[in-house]
Amino acid sequence: MAYQYPLSAPIFEGNEMIYSQQAIQSGQLATAGEFIPQFESLLGKKLKTHQVVALNSGTSSIHLAMVLMGITAGDEVICQSFTFCASANPIIYLGAKPVFVDSESDTYNMSPELLEDAILDRIAHGKKPKAIVVVHLFGMPAKMREIMEISRKYQIPVLEDAAEAVGSHIDGKACGTFGDLGVFSFNGNKIVSAGGGGALIANDTAIVEKARYLSTQAREDLPYYQHLEIGYNYKMNNLSAAIGLAQMEQLEKWVEKRRLINETYRKLIGAIPGITFQNEPEGAFSNYWLSTILIDETVTGFSNDRLRIALMKNGAETRFLWKPLHLQPVYREIKFFGGDTSRKLFKKGICLPSSASLTLEDQEKIVGVIIQELAKTF
Ligand SMILES: *Cc1c(COP(=O)(O)O)cnc(C)c1O
């Protein structure tokens, strides 16, 4: 179904057509094309790091990052529970075991206190976690300073899943650059879209070079195919890089627009009792990839599901917040540290249309539906 107000549709109004035509004319659509290093270098410039390798999805980037962290069968890996399945699935690909940690209610991201509880419990059981996966949901920076302090205290490396947070930062330092490794996604509906794509960054050049090598089937520099290691076919292709480059050139514009959309929702419905927003902690800057609200049904008289249906009938696409992984049937046997926070976020939350194409009038129409639901209750 095509929505009049899609949740997060990309806009191609920059050099996307020109660059993709150039990619086709160059005859190089695969992994040797010239747009790939250009995309890597522009992303690196925006993140203020030179250590970037462009890959073919956020999920493959997470998988490769975990391979590089040395995660193997039987290891335990701590992961934020409140996230998309791709943050944790690669732990299973490697035969390792996730340990889920609950969120805190202001950023919706991993609670540093619960993270430390989980680490202490696992160490007491003789299973020191091999890594920590922290996510910046909907673009909102997690409490990275606190989390990195815990990481240093217990000597456990951090993988930052910044798939949703291209353009987000804390005190000017880009999300994805705090951890030992960071990953991004350029999938269809992310803030920068390459059709499909991902990237891996690391604070260590050797790791990035190793990622580059493993992402192209671990080919040795010889006139024939020789392999000393098992590699992956994970490199970004040139056509995606061409589109991704054109999109990346406009990153600041997209971030500004999505922040304006969030600000407008706050202005229009922020004062309604029972409706609350995700909040930036001190120093944090969210790209507000998706604008989300929580609805306290006991106050508003309507649930997130009723609003979802009302908005759908009016051409507006919404989505519930991520269902916590510890509540997913596929992960039912997995250890979880925390309480009710992420479950409640899932129960009450809804992502509102956040496409950069939305106008003020569009947002007023969407908000009109919310006001109508309120009027039905009172
Ligand atoms: C989108 C997303 C991913 C996966 O990225 P793909 O490019 O779709 O593979 C991973 N983690 C989070 C939090 C995401 O939102």
Side-chain angles (χ1 to χ4, degrees), residues 57-59 62 83-84 86-87 135 137 161 163-164 185 187 190 197 322:
S57 76
T59 310
I62 294 169
T83 182
F84 180 46
S87 306
V135 193
L137 283 187
D161 178 351
E164 303 178 3
S185 166
N187 205 347
K190 296 281 155 71
W322 301 117

Side-chain angles (χ1 to χ4, degrees), residues 62 66 69 71 75-92 96-104 108-112 114-116 118-119 122 128-137 142 147 156-162 183 322-328 331 334-338 342:
I62 294 169
M66 288 180 181
M69 291 173 111
I71 294 163
D75 286 339
E76 286 193 4
V77 176
I78 291 184
C79 182
Q80 183 166 323
S81 180
F82 193 49
T83 182
F84 180 46
C85 65
S87 306
N89 285 354
I91 302 170
I92 304 290
K97 253 203 202 152
V99 171
F100 292 128
V101 168
D102 208 353
S103 288
E104 38 131 33
Y108 302 1
N109 293 311
M110 185 183 274
S111 153
L114 293 171
L115 167 64
E116 191 159 17
I119 293 172
R122 299 323 296 148
K128 183 175 166 177
K130 199 75 185 264
I132 300 162
V133 183
V134 55
V135 193
H136 306 291
L137 283 187
I147 287 167
I156 304 171
V158 167
L159 166 57
E160 254 182 291
D161 178 351
V183 301
W322 301 117
K323 179 171 181 175
L325 296 181
H326 75 279
L327 300 177
Q328 293 287 355
Y331 281 123
I334 301 298
K335 276 201 178 53
F336 171 65
F337 290 84
S342 58

